Amino acid sequence: MGELDTLLKNNRDWAERAVRDDPDFFHRLENQQTPKYLWIGCSDSRVPANQILGLDPGEVFVHRNVANVLSHGDLNALSVIQFAVDVLKVEHVLLVGHYGCGGVHAAMTGARVGLVDNWLRHVADVNHKHAGLLAGVADTGLRHARLCELNAVEQALNICQTTVVRDAWARGQKLAVHGWVYALGDGRVRELGMDVASHEDIGPAYEAAVADIARVAALGRRDG
């Protein structure tokens, strides 16, 4: 049996188990998509949104790219946000980075990977913006962890500044943006204090999140 045959068999086995456990599962899934959450995360195969959140298909809308970047010039990501906010009416946008991110590490070290280097320039800009904070972290692994956190906070900030989110808040729509980071080592999500539910929340939440990362950096502690 080839690799693709194995995948197809896995699919059949999964579908049969799903129906056995819940005979109405696919009928319900086929007829509604009402997720309350939009997950914007890394393409890393070790970071599956539904499993991490303990949610079934249909309960979380997902967009993933290398190093969980939200660029204001990325029409793909912006379209996902617009559809999720305006059409699906999600209530929470989760920007989720993860410790050990290869894209973040490449941006931090200046390693050349290929075409993706141009995309990772966004993360390199985060590295440059917080150069003072990161320079005080001598250990490379700890510095990498702090940059993964800072990247999640900065990309969450970018989400807050999109016209889609700003317009939703202006019309009084219930919507919050959160910056999180996921730890591969224990499967747990860490909140970063970047929780924004209105335009007025942006500055205080951002400043508090960065200050907390700076505090952890000064302690020389790895939380992830």
Side-chain angles (χ1 to χ4, degrees):
M1 180 180 291
E3 291 182 4
L4 296 183
D5 290 330
T6 299
L7 293 180
L8 292 171
K9 181 180 183 302
N10 289 345
N11 169 251
R12 289 192 295 271
D13 292 345
W14 169 75
E16 289 171 2
R17 286 195 305 272
V19 172
R20 187 166 57 248
D21 295 340
D22 180 0
D24 197 43
F25 179 79
F26 288 110
H27 176 73
R28 189 169 60 252
L29 192 63
E30 184 180 34
N31 287 282
Q32 69 175 21
Q33 179 181 210
T34 56
K36 295 173 68 173
Y37 312 99
L38 166 60
W39 169 293
I40 299 177
C42 184
S43 297
D44 192 302
S45 60
R46 302 167 294 175
V47 190
N50 285 76
Q51 289 92 327
I52 290 171
L53 298 177
L55 296 176
D56 288 330
E59 293 187 307
V60 56
F61 202 56
V62 178
H63 175 77
R64 296 167 70 173
N65 62 56
V66 176
N68 46 271
V69 168
L70 194 289
S71 166
H72 291 122
D74 181 0
L75 294 181
N76 184 358
L78 294 176
S79 297
V80 169
I81 294 172
Q82 188 272 322
F83 187 82
V85 172
D86 292 349
V87 179
L88 298 177
K89 306 296 183 184
V90 299
E91 296 180 6
H92 300 275
V93 180
L94 313 172
L95 189 289
V96 189
H98 69 95
Y99 296 117
C101 180
V104 171
H105 189 267
M108 182 182 79
T109 60
R112 292 297 302 273
V113 182
L115 180 64
V116 74
D117 297 338
N118 298 282
W119 178 253
L120 294 176
R121 183 66 244 177
H122 296 294
V123 185
D125 290 343
V126 175
N127 187 51
H128 177 73
K129 180 177 181 178
H130 296 284
L133 187 162
L134 295 167
V137 184
D139 180 83
T140 302
L142 294 178
R143 194 180 323 121
H144 185 198
R146 299 292 80 80
L147 183 54
C148 290
E149 295 165 347
L150 288 165
N151 185 51
V153 168
E154 291 290 343
Q155 305 310 327
L157 175 64
N158 287 345
I159 293 172
C160 294
Q161 294 171 334
T162 62
T163 56
V164 175
V165 171
R166 289 166 57 191
D167 289 349
W169 284 334
R171 62 177 175 261
Q173 184 172 335
K174 182 181 179 181
L175 180 67
V177 177
H178 312 274
W180 290 356
V181 65
Y182 171 71
L184 296 169
D186 63 12
R188 300 289 295 274
V189 168
R190 272 68 165 171
E191 297 179 278
L192 296 172
M194 185 62 181
D195 301 291
V196 184
S198 70
H199 181 76
E200 292 73 24
D201 292 343
I202 297 175
Y206 174 79
E207 292 171 8
V210 173
D212 191 57
I213 294 170
R215 180 186 60 79
V216 173
L219 293 174
R221 190 179 73 210
R222 186 186 186 105
D223 188 12

PDB file of all heavy atoms in Angstrom, residues 93-107:
ATOM      1  N   VAL A  93     -10.767  36.370  17.730  1.00  0.00           N
ATOM      2  CA  VAL A  93      -9.693  36.105  16.777  1.00  0.00           C
ATOM      3  C   VAL A  93      -8.451  35.746  17.595  1.00  0.00           C
ATOM      4  O   VAL A  93      -7.984  36.550  18.403  1.00  0.00           O
ATOM      5  CB  VAL A  93      -9.403  37.323  15.882  1.00  0.00           C
ATOM      6  CG1 VAL A  93      -8.263  36.994  14.911  1.00  0.00           C
ATOM      7  CG2 VAL A  93     -10.655  37.746  15.126  1.00  0.00           C
ATOM      8  N   LEU A  94      -7.944  34.541  17.392  1.00  0.00           N
ATOM      9  CA  LEU A  94      -6.810  34.037  18.153  1.00  0.00           C
ATOM     10  C   LEU A  94      -5.574  34.027  17.265  1.00  0.00           C
ATOM     11  O   LEU A  94      -5.508  33.266  16.294  1.00  0.00           O
ATOM     12  CB  LEU A  94      -7.097  32.612  18.651  1.00  0.00           C
ATOM     13  CG  LEU A  94      -8.461  32.371  19.301  1.00  0.00           C
ATOM     14  CD1 LEU A  94      -8.657  30.878  19.548  1.00  0.00           C
ATOM     15  CD2 LEU A  94      -8.579  33.158  20.600  1.00  0.00           C
ATOM     16  N   LEU A  95      -4.614  34.878  17.565  1.00  0.00           N
ATOM     17  CA  LEU A  95      -3.332  34.840  16.862  1.00  0.00           C
ATOM     18  C   LEU A  95      -2.400  33.988  17.720  1.00  0.00           C
ATOM     19  O   LEU A  95      -2.025  34.394  18.825  1.00  0.00           O
ATOM     20  CB  LEU A  95      -2.773  36.251  16.668  1.00  0.00           C
ATOM     21  CG  LEU A  95      -1.543  36.423  15.771  1.00  0.00           C
ATOM     22  CD1 LEU A  95      -0.263  35.869  16.372  1.00  0.00           C
ATOM     23  CD2 LEU A  95      -1.771  35.805  14.384  1.00  0.00           C
ATOM     24  N   VAL A  96      -2.055  32.812  17.221  1.00  0.00           N
ATOM     25  CA  VAL A  96      -1.336  31.837  18.045  1.00  0.00           C
ATOM     26  C   VAL A  96       0.028  31.517  17.447  1.00  0.00           C
ATOM     27  O   VAL A  96       0.125  30.863  16.396  1.00  0.00           O
ATOM     28  CB  VAL A  96      -2.160  30.538  18.202  1.00  0.00           C
ATOM     29  CG1 VAL A  96      -1.489  29.629  19.232  1.00  0.00           C
ATOM     30  CG2 VAL A  96      -3.597  30.858  18.632  1.00  0.00           C
ATOM     31  N   GLY A  97       1.074  31.980  18.109  1.00  0.00           N
ATOM     32  CA  GLY A  97       2.425  31.573  17.746  1.00  0.00           C
ATOM     33  C   GLY A  97       2.777  30.297  18.480  1.00  0.00           C
ATOM     34  O   GLY A  97       1.966  29.739  19.224  1.00  0.00           O
ATOM     35  N   HIS A  98       3.996  29.829  18.290  1.00  0.00           N
ATOM     36  CA  HIS A  98       4.417  28.654  19.048  1.00  0.00           C
ATOM     37  C   HIS A  98       5.918  28.689  19.295  1.00  0.00           C
ATOM     38  O   HIS A  98       6.688  29.181  18.465  1.00  0.00           O
ATOM     39  CB  HIS A  98       4.019  27.348  18.337  1.00  0.00           C
ATOM     40  CG  HIS A  98       4.773  27.080  17.058  1.00  0.00           C
ATOM     41  ND1 HIS A  98       5.893  26.285  17.011  1.00  0.00           N
ATOM     42  CD2 HIS A  98       4.563  27.496  15.789  1.00  0.00           C
ATOM     43  CE1 HIS A  98       6.341  26.213  15.774  1.00  0.00           C
ATOM     44  NE2 HIS A  98       5.546  26.952  15.007  1.00  0.00           N
ATOM     45  N   TYR A  99       6.307  28.186  20.455  1.00  0.00           N
ATOM     46  CA  TYR A  99       7.721  28.072  20.778  1.00  0.00           C
ATOM     47  C   TYR A  99       8.384  27.095  19.815  1.00  0.00           C
ATOM     48  O   TYR A  99       7.762  26.145  19.337  1.00  0.00           O
ATOM     49  CB  TYR A  99       7.908  27.593  22.212  1.00  0.00           C
ATOM     50  CG  TYR A  99       7.396  28.564  23.260  1.00  0.00           C
ATOM     51  CD1 TYR A  99       6.347  28.203  24.108  1.00  0.00           C
ATOM     52  CD2 TYR A  99       7.950  29.821  23.396  1.00  0.00           C
ATOM     53  CE1 TYR A  99       5.878  29.088  25.072  1.00  0.00           C
ATOM     54  CE2 TYR A  99       7.482  30.720  24.348  1.00  0.00           C
ATOM     55  CZ  TYR A  99       6.447  30.340  25.190  1.00  0.00           C
ATOM     56  OH  TYR A  99       5.974  31.218  26.140  1.00  0.00           O
ATOM     57  N   GLY A 100       9.649  27.332  19.526  1.00  0.00           N
ATOM     58  CA  GLY A 100      10.373  26.456  18.621  1.00  0.00           C
ATOM     59  C   GLY A 100      10.054  26.690  17.160  1.00  0.00           C
ATOM     60  O   GLY A 100      10.373  25.845  16.315  1.00  0.00           O
ATOM     61  N   CYS A 101       9.450  27.818  16.813  1.00  0.00           N
ATOM     62  CA  CYS A 101       9.066  28.107  15.439  1.00  0.00           C
ATOM     63  C   CYS A 101      10.310  28.284  14.559  1.00  0.00           C
ATOM     64  O   CYS A 101      11.153  29.149  14.817  1.00  0.00           O
ATOM     65  CB  CYS A 101       8.213  29.372  15.377  1.00  0.00           C
ATOM     66  SG  CYS A 101       7.673  29.820  13.712  1.00  0.00           S
ATOM     67  N   GLY A 102      10.419  27.468  13.509  1.00  0.00           N
ATOM     68  CA  GLY A 102      11.569  27.538  12.632  1.00  0.00           C
ATOM     69  C   GLY A 102      11.644  28.838  11.866  1.00  0.00           C
ATOM     70  O   GLY A 102      12.732  29.370  11.626  1.00  0.00           O
ATOM     71  N   GLY A 103      10.495  29.373  11.466  1.00  0.00           N
ATOM     72  CA  GLY A 103      10.491  30.639  10.754  1.00  0.00           C
ATOM     73  C   GLY A 103      10.982  31.784  11.619  1.00  0.00           C
ATOM     74  O   GLY A 103      11.749  32.639  11.163  1.00  0.00           O
ATOM     75  N   VAL A 104      10.553  31.812  12.862  1.00  0.00           N
ATOM     76  CA  VAL A 104      11.011  32.845  13.794  1.00  0.00           C
ATOM     77  C   VAL A 104      12.513  32.708  14.032  1.00  0.00           C
ATOM     78  O   VAL A 104      13.247  33.705  14.085  1.00  0.00           O
ATOM     79  CB  VAL A 104      10.230  32.766  15.124  1.00  0.00           C
ATOM     80  CG1 VAL A 104      10.845  33.691  16.169  1.00  0.00           C
ATOM     81  CG2 VAL A 104       8.760  33.123  14.895  1.00  0.00           C
ATOM     82  N   HIS A 105      12.986  31.473  14.156  1.00  0.00           N
ATOM     83  CA  HIS A 105      14.417  31.256  14.381  1.00  0.00           C
ATOM     84  C   HIS A 105      15.238  31.742  13.188  1.00  0.00           C
ATOM     85  O   HIS A 105      16.291  32.378  13.353  1.00  0.00           O
ATOM     86  CB  HIS A 105      14.692  29.772  14.640  1.00  0.00           C
ATOM     87  CG  HIS A 105      16.091  29.488  15.085  1.00  0.00           C
ATOM     88  ND1 HIS A 105      17.099  29.148  14.215  1.00  0.00           N
ATOM     89  CD2 HIS A 105      16.654  29.521  16.326  1.00  0.00           C
ATOM     90  CE1 HIS A 105      18.217  28.963  14.879  1.00  0.00           C
ATOM     91  NE2 HIS A 105      17.985  29.193  16.166  1.00  0.00           N
ATOM     92  N   ALA A 106      14.760  31.458  11.981  1.00  0.00           N
ATOM     93  CA  ALA A 106      15.475  31.918  10.793  1.00  0.00           C
ATOM     94  C   ALA A 106      15.528  33.438  10.734  1.00  0.00           C
ATOM     95  O   ALA A 106      16.560  34.030  10.397  1.00  0.00           O
ATOM     96  CB  ALA A 106      14.801  31.364   9.534  1.00  0.00           C
ATOM     97  N   ALA A 107      14.423  34.088  11.081  1.00  0.00           N
ATOM     98  CA  ALA A 107      14.386  35.553  11.086  1.00  0.00           C
ATOM     99  C   ALA A 107      15.308  36.119  12.158  1.00  0.00           C
ATOM    100  O   ALA A 107      15.936  37.165  11.961  1.00  0.00           O
ATOM    101  CB  ALA A 107      12.957  36.039  11.311  1.00  0.00           C
TER     102      ALA A 107
END
